Amino acid sequence: MLGPTVLINIVLYNPDKNKVFDLIHICSQYDRAKILLFDNSADYSFLESIDSEKIILFKSQKNVGVGGAHHYACQMAEAENFDFLLFVDQDSQLPRAFISKMVLGFHRLKKLYPRLSAIGPSWQDLRVDNWGQENSLKKNWLSQKKEKILNFLGANNTIISSGMLIWIPTLKNIGYPKKEYFIDLIDIEWCLRALSKNYQIKILK
């Protein structure tokens, strides 16, 4: 039985060549994946040497930011009937079998959360010790106030865009990430929009 299809959107802007190749290697391990390299760079010729049936290279005529790249990827994913869309930053570091674990995790969580629209992985910023998606806020006065605001907005249920796996059928009702946001708050806005329509978003631990 064939597994779900996944379009993987890697947004590029003057990237580190070795990191891009590492990402392609990990993403290519999933048999039913296509990798959309959306290049916002003014000129980055090494990408033209990449030759694989799994890879789609799109050279943007101008820098449309992360928002524009994600919007384009959503259009492609729907038009070509992919099951999932995965967003990945150019400097993200993924473990082996990341895609298959995310897809499997989504289906397991969907049994518990029937309106599940997207999941994200737990993550760590390797530049900062002990800092990641799941770290709890220190219980001082300022952080308690911040936590109350986040709870009120529903933002504690949001996930970052890198590693976000979206189930394509839900895009019809939620809509695409806003391309006019360019780079900031794209993921938070989309998650809040999904939550406002009673969809569910979870972290896969």
Side-chain angles (χ1 to χ4, degrees):
M1 182 176 176
L2 296 174
T5 55
V6 182
L7 178 64
I8 303 164
N9 179 208
I10 305 176
V11 186
L12 305 175
Y13 183 76
N14 300 331
D16 180 302
K17 178 179 178 179
N18 292 327
K19 288 184 177 180
V20 173
F21 285 146
D22 286 345
L23 280 174
I24 290 172
H25 174 69
I26 293 294
C27 293
S28 297
Q29 293 174 349
Y30 187 77
D31 289 339
R32 305 205 71 202
K34 288 281 187 181
I35 302 166
L36 170 62
L37 298 177
F38 190 103
D39 188 15
N40 275 320
S41 310
D43 180 29
Y44 226 73
S45 57
F46 88 84
L47 295 171
E48 296 170 4
S49 66
I50 298 174
D51 183 21
S52 170
E53 62 180 17
K54 280 183 171 282
I55 295 174
I56 305 161
L57 176 59
F58 180 83
K59 181 71 178 174
S60 183
Q61 294 182 350
K62 64 176 183 178
N63 184 1
V64 295
V66 175
H70 286 181
H71 194 274
Y72 180 88
C74 287
Q75 288 179 318
M76 178 179 287
E78 278 200 315
E80 299 189 14
N81 296 313
F82 282 89
D83 297 307
F84 290 99
L85 173 61
L86 175 72
F87 295 137
V88 181
D89 288 348
Q90 66 182 25
D91 57 352
S92 296
Q93 296 175 314
L94 306 180
R96 289 181 61 82
F98 176 79
I99 314 297
S100 58
K101 288 177 181 177
M102 288 289 287
V103 170
L104 180 61
F106 182 93
H107 286 299
R108 286 178 176 171
L109 284 172
K110 200 169 189 310
K111 293 176 182 178
L112 300 174
Y113 305 100
R115 289 187 61 79
L116 188 64
S117 61
I119 64 170
S122 55
W123 54 268
Q124 283 188 307
D125 188 335
L126 299 178
R127 300 167 298 180
V128 183
D129 289 337
N130 300 317
W131 196 82
Q133 172 107 19
E134 297 177 293
N135 273 12
S136 60
L137 295 167
K138 293 180 180 178
K139 297 301 180 182
N140 56 37
W141 177 84
L142 186 61
S143 64
Q144 285 179 355
K145 187 173 183 180
K146 180 181 178 183
E147 190 171 27
K148 286 180 180 178
I149 293 171
L150 290 173
N151 281 325
F152 175 74
L153 293 174
N156 273 341
N157 293 317
T158 64
I159 52 179
I160 65 170
S161 60
S162 187
M164 180 189 290
L165 183 74
I166 297 174
W167 190 39
I168 297 301
T170 62
L171 285 176
K172 182 177 181 180
N173 293 324
I174 300 170
Y176 301 166
K178 289 185 178 293
K179 55 186 176 181
E180 59 268 30
Y181 276 35
F182 196 77
I183 193 167
D184 290 324
L185 303 176
I186 300 163
D187 40 16
I188 291 177
E189 189 281 331
W190 187 88
C191 288
L192 291 177
R193 191 167 5 123
L195 293 168
S196 74
K197 296 175 183 292
N198 296 317
Y199 285 99
Q200 296 160 307
I201 296 169
K202 298 295 175 182
I203 294 174
L204 182 65
K205 296 182 180 180

